[in-house]
Short mmCIF file of all heavy atoms in Angstrom, two decimals:
data_model
loop_
_atom_site.label_atom_id
_atom_site.label_comp_id
_atom_site.label_asym_id
_atom_site.label_seq_id
_atom_site.Cartn_x
_atom_site.Cartn_y
_atom_site.Cartn_z
N MET A 24 -111.41 2.16 -155.25
CA MET A 24 -110.44 3.11 -154.76
C MET A 24 -109.47 2.42 -153.82
O MET A 24 -109.84 1.52 -153.10
CB MET A 24 -111.19 4.23 -154.04
CG MET A 24 -110.35 5.36 -153.61
SD MET A 24 -109.95 6.75 -154.53
CE MET A 24 -110.00 7.03 -156.04
N LEU A 25 -108.24 2.86 -153.85
CA LEU A 25 -107.21 2.27 -153.00
C LEU A 25 -107.42 2.64 -151.54
O LEU A 25 -107.81 3.75 -151.22
CB LEU A 25 -105.82 2.76 -153.43
CG LEU A 25 -105.37 2.32 -154.81
CD1 LEU A 25 -104.04 2.96 -155.15
CD2 LEU A 25 -105.27 0.82 -154.89
N LYS A 26 -107.15 1.66 -150.68
CA LYS A 26 -107.33 1.89 -149.25
C LYS A 26 -106.05 2.32 -148.56
O LYS A 26 -106.09 3.05 -147.58
CB LYS A 26 -107.87 0.62 -148.59
CG LYS A 26 -109.24 0.25 -149.12
CD LYS A 26 -109.75 -1.02 -148.51
CE LYS A 26 -111.09 -1.38 -149.13
NZ LYS A 26 -111.62 -2.63 -148.64
N ASN A 27 -104.89 1.84 -149.07
CA ASN A 27 -103.63 2.22 -148.44
C ASN A 27 -102.46 1.95 -149.39
O ASN A 27 -102.63 1.41 -150.48
CB ASN A 27 -103.44 1.47 -147.11
CG ASN A 27 -103.54 -0.03 -147.29
OD1 ASN A 27 -103.09 -0.56 -148.29
ND2 ASN A 27 -104.14 -0.70 -146.32
N ILE A 28 -101.27 2.30 -148.96
CA ILE A 28 -100.07 2.14 -149.77
C ILE A 28 -99.76 0.66 -150.00
O ILE A 28 -99.30 0.28 -151.08
CB ILE A 28 -98.88 2.86 -149.12
CG1 ILE A 28 -99.12 4.37 -149.07
CG2 ILE A 28 -97.58 2.56 -149.84
CD1 ILE A 28 -99.29 5.03 -150.42
N ALA A 29 -100.01 -0.19 -149.02
CA ALA A 29 -99.73 -1.63 -149.17
C ALA A 29 -100.54 -2.21 -150.32
O ALA A 29 -100.03 -3.03 -151.09
CB ALA A 29 -100.03 -2.35 -147.87
N GLU A 30 -101.79 -1.82 -150.44
CA GLU A 30 -102.63 -2.29 -151.54
C GLU A 30 -102.09 -1.81 -152.88
O GLU A 30 -102.05 -2.56 -153.86
CB GLU A 30 -104.07 -1.81 -151.34
CG GLU A 30 -105.04 -2.38 -152.34
CD GLU A 30 -106.47 -1.94 -152.10
OE1 GLU A 30 -106.77 -1.35 -151.05
OE2 GLU A 30 -107.29 -2.18 -152.99
N LEU A 31 -101.63 -0.57 -152.94
CA LEU A 31 -101.03 -0.04 -154.15
C LEU A 31 -99.79 -0.84 -154.52
O LEU A 31 -99.58 -1.18 -155.68
CB LEU A 31 -100.68 1.44 -153.98
CG LEU A 31 -99.95 2.09 -155.16
CD1 LEU A 31 -100.80 2.07 -156.41
CD2 LEU A 31 -99.55 3.50 -154.79
N ASN A 32 -98.95 -1.16 -153.55
CA ASN A 32 -97.74 -1.94 -153.80
C ASN A 32 -98.07 -3.30 -154.38
O ASN A 32 -97.38 -3.77 -155.30
CB ASN A 32 -96.92 -2.10 -152.52
CG ASN A 32 -96.18 -0.84 -152.16
OD1 ASN A 32 -95.92 0.01 -153.01
ND2 ASN A 32 -95.84 -0.70 -150.90
N VAL A 33 -99.11 -3.95 -153.89
CA VAL A 33 -99.51 -5.26 -154.41
C VAL A 33 -99.94 -5.13 -155.87
O VAL A 33 -99.54 -5.94 -156.72
CB VAL A 33 -100.64 -5.87 -153.56
CG1 VAL A 33 -101.25 -7.08 -154.23
CG2 VAL A 33 -100.12 -6.22 -152.17
N ILE A 34 -100.72 -4.12 -156.17
CA ILE A 34 -101.20 -3.91 -157.53
C ILE A 34 -100.04 -3.63 -158.48
O ILE A 34 -99.96 -4.20 -159.57
CB ILE A 34 -102.24 -2.77 -157.57
CG1 ILE A 34 -103.50 -3.21 -156.84
CG2 ILE A 34 -102.54 -2.35 -159.00
CD1 ILE A 34 -104.48 -2.10 -156.58
N VAL A 35 -99.11 -2.79 -158.05
CA VAL A 35 -97.96 -2.46 -158.90
C VAL A 35 -97.07 -3.69 -159.11
O VAL A 35 -96.62 -3.95 -160.22
CB VAL A 35 -97.15 -1.28 -158.31
CG1 VAL A 35 -95.83 -1.09 -159.04
CG2 VAL A 35 -97.98 -0.01 -158.36
N ASP A 36 -96.84 -4.47 -158.06
CA ASP A 36 -96.03 -5.68 -158.18
C ASP A 36 -96.65 -6.67 -159.16
O ASP A 36 -95.95 -7.27 -159.99
CB ASP A 36 -95.85 -6.36 -156.82
CG ASP A 36 -94.89 -5.62 -155.93
OD1 ASP A 36 -94.13 -4.76 -156.43
OD2 ASP A 36 -94.89 -5.90 -154.71
N LYS A 37 -97.98 -6.84 -159.10
CA LYS A 37 -98.65 -7.74 -160.03
C LYS A 37 -98.53 -7.24 -161.47
O LYS A 37 -98.32 -8.02 -162.39
CB LYS A 37 -100.14 -7.89 -159.66
CG LYS A 37 -100.36 -8.73 -158.44
CD LYS A 37 -101.85 -8.85 -158.14
CE LYS A 37 -102.10 -9.70 -156.91
NZ LYS A 37 -103.53 -9.86 -156.65
N TYR A 38 -98.65 -5.94 -161.67
CA TYR A 38 -98.54 -5.37 -163.00
C TYR A 38 -97.13 -5.55 -163.56
O TYR A 38 -96.96 -5.93 -164.71
CB TYR A 38 -98.92 -3.89 -163.00
CG TYR A 38 -98.73 -3.26 -164.36
CD1 TYR A 38 -99.65 -3.48 -165.37
CD2 TYR A 38 -97.61 -2.48 -164.64
CE1 TYR A 38 -99.47 -2.94 -166.64
CE2 TYR A 38 -97.42 -1.93 -165.90
CZ TYR A 38 -98.35 -2.17 -166.89
OH TYR A 38 -98.16 -1.63 -168.13
N VAL A 39 -96.12 -5.27 -162.74
CA VAL A 39 -94.74 -5.41 -163.20
C VAL A 39 -94.44 -6.86 -163.56
O VAL A 39 -93.79 -7.13 -164.57
CB VAL A 39 -93.76 -4.88 -162.13
CG1 VAL A 39 -92.33 -5.26 -162.45
CG2 VAL A 39 -93.90 -3.37 -161.99
N HIS A 40 -94.94 -7.81 -162.77
CA HIS A 40 -94.74 -9.22 -163.08
C HIS A 40 -95.41 -9.56 -164.42
O HIS A 40 -94.82 -10.19 -165.28
CB HIS A 40 -95.30 -10.11 -161.98
CG HIS A 40 -95.10 -11.56 -162.27
ND1 HIS A 40 -96.00 -12.31 -162.97
CD2 HIS A 40 -94.07 -12.39 -161.98
CE1 HIS A 40 -95.55 -13.54 -163.10
NE2 HIS A 40 -94.38 -13.62 -162.51
N TRP A 41 -96.64 -9.13 -164.60
CA TRP A 41 -97.34 -9.38 -165.86
C TRP A 41 -96.57 -8.76 -167.03
O TRP A 41 -96.38 -9.40 -168.06
CB TRP A 41 -98.76 -8.80 -165.82
CG TRP A 41 -99.42 -8.85 -167.15
CD1 TRP A 41 -100.07 -9.90 -167.71
CD2 TRP A 41 -99.46 -7.79 -168.13
NE1 TRP A 41 -100.51 -9.57 -168.97
CE2 TRP A 41 -100.16 -8.29 -169.25
CE3 TRP A 41 -98.98 -6.49 -168.15
CZ2 TRP A 41 -100.37 -7.51 -170.39
CZ3 TRP A 41 -99.19 -5.73 -169.29
CH2 TRP A 41 -99.88 -6.24 -170.38
N PHE A 42 -96.14 -7.52 -166.86
CA PHE A 42 -95.46 -6.78 -167.93
C PHE A 42 -94.19 -7.50 -168.37
O PHE A 42 -93.89 -7.57 -169.55
CB PHE A 42 -95.13 -5.36 -167.45
CG PHE A 42 -94.66 -4.46 -168.55
CD1 PHE A 42 -95.57 -3.78 -169.33
CD2 PHE A 42 -93.30 -4.27 -168.80
CE1 PHE A 42 -95.15 -2.93 -170.35
CE2 PHE A 42 -92.87 -3.44 -169.81
CZ PHE A 42 -93.79 -2.76 -170.58
N ASN A 43 -93.43 -8.05 -167.43
CA ASN A 43 -92.15 -8.67 -167.76
C ASN A 43 -92.25 -10.15 -168.08
O ASN A 43 -91.44 -10.65 -168.86
CB ASN A 43 -91.17 -8.48 -166.61
CG ASN A 43 -90.71 -7.04 -166.50
OD1 ASN A 43 -90.46 -6.38 -167.49
ND2 ASN A 43 -90.61 -6.56 -165.28
N HIS A 44 -93.20 -10.87 -167.52
CA HIS A 44 -93.23 -12.32 -167.62
C HIS A 44 -94.36 -12.87 -168.49
O HIS A 44 -94.23 -13.99 -169.00
CB HIS A 44 -93.33 -12.96 -166.23
CG HIS A 44 -92.10 -12.73 -165.41
ND1 HIS A 44 -91.01 -13.54 -165.46
CD2 HIS A 44 -91.82 -11.76 -164.50
CE1 HIS A 44 -90.10 -13.10 -164.63
NE2 HIS A 44 -90.56 -12.01 -164.04
N GLU A 45 -95.45 -12.17 -168.64
CA GLU A 45 -96.62 -12.76 -169.27
C GLU A 45 -97.05 -12.11 -170.58
O GLU A 45 -97.56 -12.80 -171.45
CB GLU A 45 -97.79 -12.75 -168.28
CG GLU A 45 -97.49 -13.58 -167.04
CD GLU A 45 -98.58 -13.51 -166.01
OE1 GLU A 45 -99.75 -13.29 -166.39
OE2 GLU A 45 -98.27 -13.66 -164.83
N ARG A 46 -96.86 -10.81 -170.70
CA ARG A 46 -97.33 -10.16 -171.94
C ARG A 46 -96.44 -10.55 -173.10
O ARG A 46 -95.25 -10.78 -172.95
CB ARG A 46 -97.38 -8.65 -171.78
CG ARG A 46 -96.05 -7.98 -171.97
CD ARG A 46 -96.15 -6.47 -171.90
NE ARG A 46 -94.81 -5.96 -171.74
CZ ARG A 46 -94.04 -5.56 -172.75
NH1 ARG A 46 -94.51 -5.55 -173.97
NH2 ARG A 46 -92.81 -5.14 -172.54
N ILE A 47 -97.05 -10.64 -174.26
CA ILE A 47 -96.27 -10.95 -175.45
C ILE A 47 -96.10 -9.68 -176.27
O ILE A 47 -96.90 -8.77 -176.19
CB ILE A 47 -96.92 -12.07 -176.29
CG1 ILE A 47 -98.31 -11.67 -176.74
CG2 ILE A 47 -96.93 -13.37 -175.53
CD1 ILE A 47 -98.92 -12.61 -177.76
N SER A 48 -95.04 -9.66 -177.04
CA SER A 48 -94.74 -8.49 -177.84
C SER A 48 -94.37 -8.94 -179.25
O SER A 48 -93.62 -9.90 -179.43
CB SER A 48 -93.58 -7.71 -177.22
OG SER A 48 -93.20 -6.66 -178.08
N LEU A 49 -94.89 -8.27 -180.24
CA LEU A 49 -94.56 -8.60 -181.62
C LEU A 49 -93.09 -8.31 -181.92
O LEU A 49 -92.46 -8.99 -182.72
CB LEU A 49 -95.46 -7.84 -182.58
CG LEU A 49 -96.95 -8.20 -182.51
CD1 LEU A 49 -97.75 -7.32 -183.48
CD2 LEU A 49 -97.16 -9.66 -182.82
N LYS A 50 -92.53 -7.31 -181.26
CA LYS A 50 -91.12 -6.98 -181.47
C LYS A 50 -90.19 -8.08 -180.97
O LYS A 50 -89.06 -8.17 -181.41
CB LYS A 50 -90.77 -5.67 -180.76
CG LYS A 50 -91.39 -4.45 -181.39
CD LYS A 50 -90.97 -3.21 -180.65
CE LYS A 50 -91.58 -1.98 -181.26
NZ LYS A 50 -91.16 -0.75 -180.56
N THR A 51 -90.67 -8.88 -180.02
CA THR A 51 -89.84 -9.95 -179.46
C THR A 51 -90.30 -11.31 -179.93
O THR A 51 -90.20 -12.30 -179.22
CB THR A 51 -89.84 -9.89 -177.92
OG1 THR A 51 -91.18 -10.02 -177.45
CG2 THR A 51 -89.24 -8.59 -177.40
N LYS A 52 -90.82 -11.36 -181.16
CA LYS A 52 -91.24 -12.60 -181.81
C LYS A 52 -92.31 -13.35 -181.03
O LYS A 52 -92.32 -14.57 -180.98
CB LYS A 52 -90.03 -13.50 -182.04
CG LYS A 52 -88.94 -12.85 -182.87
CD LYS A 52 -87.74 -13.73 -182.99
CE LYS A 52 -86.62 -12.96 -183.68
NZ LYS A 52 -85.37 -13.71 -183.68
N GLY A 53 -93.21 -12.62 -180.39
CA GLY A 53 -94.32 -13.24 -179.66
C GLY A 53 -93.95 -13.76 -178.29
O GLY A 53 -94.75 -14.44 -177.66
N LEU A 54 -92.76 -13.44 -177.81
CA LEU A 54 -92.33 -13.88 -176.49
C LEU A 54 -92.49 -12.76 -175.48
O LEU A 54 -92.53 -11.58 -175.83
CB LEU A 54 -90.85 -14.30 -176.53
CG LEU A 54 -90.49 -15.45 -177.45
CD1 LEU A 54 -88.98 -15.59 -177.54
CD2 LEU A 54 -91.13 -16.73 -176.99
N SER A 55 -92.54 -13.14 -174.21
CA SER A 55 -92.53 -12.12 -173.17
C SER A 55 -91.13 -11.53 -173.11
O SER A 55 -90.17 -12.14 -173.59
CB SER A 55 -92.88 -12.75 -171.82
OG SER A 55 -91.83 -13.58 -171.37
N PRO A 56 -90.97 -10.35 -172.54
CA PRO A 56 -89.63 -9.75 -172.47
C PRO A 56 -88.61 -10.65 -171.77
O PRO A 56 -87.47 -10.76 -172.23
CB PRO A 56 -89.87 -8.46 -171.69
CG PRO A 56 -91.29 -8.10 -171.99
CD PRO A 56 -92.00 -9.42 -172.06
N ILE A 57 -88.99 -11.30 -170.69
CA ILE A 57 -88.06 -12.17 -169.97
C ILE A 57 -87.70 -13.39 -170.82
O ILE A 57 -86.53 -13.77 -170.92
CB ILE A 57 -88.65 -12.61 -168.62
CG1 ILE A 57 -88.87 -11.40 -167.71
CG2 ILE A 57 -87.78 -13.65 -167.93
CD1 ILE A 57 -87.63 -10.68 -167.27
N ALA A 58 -88.70 -14.01 -171.45
CA ALA A 58 -88.44 -15.17 -172.29
C ALA A 58 -87.54 -14.80 -173.47
O ALA A 58 -86.64 -15.56 -173.83
CB ALA A 58 -89.74 -15.77 -172.79
N TYR A 59 -87.76 -13.65 -174.06
CA TYR A 59 -86.92 -13.20 -175.17
C TYR A 59 -85.49 -12.98 -174.71
O TYR A 59 -84.53 -13.40 -175.36
CB TYR A 59 -87.49 -11.92 -175.78
CG TYR A 59 -86.71 -11.44 -176.96
CD1 TYR A 59 -86.83 -12.07 -178.19
CD2 TYR A 59 -85.84 -10.36 -176.86
CE1 TYR A 59 -86.12 -11.63 -179.30
CE2 TYR A 59 -85.12 -9.92 -177.95
CZ TYR A 59 -85.26 -10.55 -179.17
OH TYR A 59 -84.54 -10.13 -180.26
N ARG A 60 -85.33 -12.32 -173.57
CA ARG A 60 -83.98 -12.08 -173.04
C ARG A 60 -83.26 -13.38 -172.77
O ARG A 60 -82.08 -13.54 -173.10
CB ARG A 60 -84.05 -11.24 -171.77
CG ARG A 60 -82.65 -10.87 -171.23
CD ARG A 60 -82.72 -10.07 -169.99
NE ARG A 60 -83.17 -10.95 -168.91
CZ ARG A 60 -83.57 -10.52 -167.73
NH1 ARG A 60 -83.64 -9.24 -167.49
NH2 ARG A 60 -83.94 -11.37 -166.82
N GLU A 61 -83.96 -14.34 -172.19
CA GLU A 61 -83.34 -15.64 -171.90
C GLU A 61 -82.95 -16.35 -173.20
O GLU A 61 -81.90 -17.00 -173.27
CB GLU A 61 -84.29 -16.51 -171.07
CG GLU A 61 -84.42 -16.02 -169.66
CD GLU A 61 -85.46 -16.78 -168.86
OE1 GLU A 61 -86.21 -17.60 -169.44
OE2 GLU A 61 -85.54 -16.56 -167.64
N GLN A 62 -83.79 -16.24 -174.23
CA GLN A 62 -83.49 -16.88 -175.51
C GLN A 62 -82.27 -16.24 -176.15
O GLN A 62 -81.38 -16.92 -176.64
CB GLN A 62 -84.68 -16.78 -176.44
CG GLN A 62 -84.45 -17.40 -177.79
CD GLN A 62 -85.62 -17.22 -178.74
OE1 GLN A 62 -86.54 -16.44 -178.47
NE2 GLN A 62 -85.61 -17.91 -179.85
N VAL A 63 -82.20 -14.93 -176.13
CA VAL A 63 -81.10 -14.22 -176.75
C VAL A 63 -79.79 -14.48 -176.01
O VAL A 63 -78.75 -14.70 -176.63
CB VAL A 63 -81.39 -12.70 -176.81
CG1 VAL A 63 -80.17 -11.92 -177.22
CG2 VAL A 63 -82.53 -12.43 -177.78
N LEU A 64 -79.85 -14.50 -174.69
CA LEU A 64 -78.64 -14.69 -173.90
C LEU A 64 -78.27 -16.17 -173.75
O LEU A 64 -77.20 -16.50 -173.27
CB LEU A 64 -78.80 -14.07 -172.52
CG LEU A 64 -78.97 -12.54 -172.50
CD1 LEU A 64 -79.20 -12.04 -171.10
CD2 LEU A 64 -77.77 -11.87 -173.13
N GLY A 65 -79.19 -17.06 -174.12
CA GLY A 65 -78.93 -18.49 -174.04
C GLY A 65 -78.99 -19.03 -172.62
O GLY A 65 -78.34 -20.02 -172.31
N ASN A 66 -79.78 -18.41 -171.77
CA ASN A 66 -79.91 -18.89 -170.38
C ASN A 66 -80.99 -19.91 -170.26
O ASN A 66 -82.01 -19.91 -170.66
CB ASN A 66 -80.17 -17.73 -169.42
CG ASN A 66 -78.97 -16.83 -169.33
OD1 ASN A 66 -77.86 -17.23 -169.58
ND2 ASN A 66 -79.21 -15.59 -168.97
#
């Protein structure tokens, strides 16, 4: 169980980082959303 709002913020920040930087998606050719965006935009 969560002890305070600060702990919740840490958990949410870790999840958002994982969601955008680490998870792979079949729709994005096996790349993470950030990696796919960088590839498409040529950054």
Side-chain angles (χ1 to χ4, degrees):
M24 186 89 341
L25 295 175
K26 296 178 183 177
N27 55 37
I28 296 299
E30 186 177 350
L31 176 62
N32 284 337
V33 169
I34 292 169
V35 170
D36 287 344
K37 287 181 180 182
Y38 177 77
V39 169
H40 181 271
W41 171 83
F42 191 85
N43 289 320
H44 293 274
E45 298 176 28
R46 81 176 165 95
I47 59 170
S48 174
L49 295 177
K50 290 181 180 181
T51 59
K52 302 176 187 173
L54 299 171
S55 70
I57 297 294
Y59 182 76
R60 184 181 71 193
E61 289 174 352
Q62 179 183 11
V63 169
L64 295 177
N66 292 336

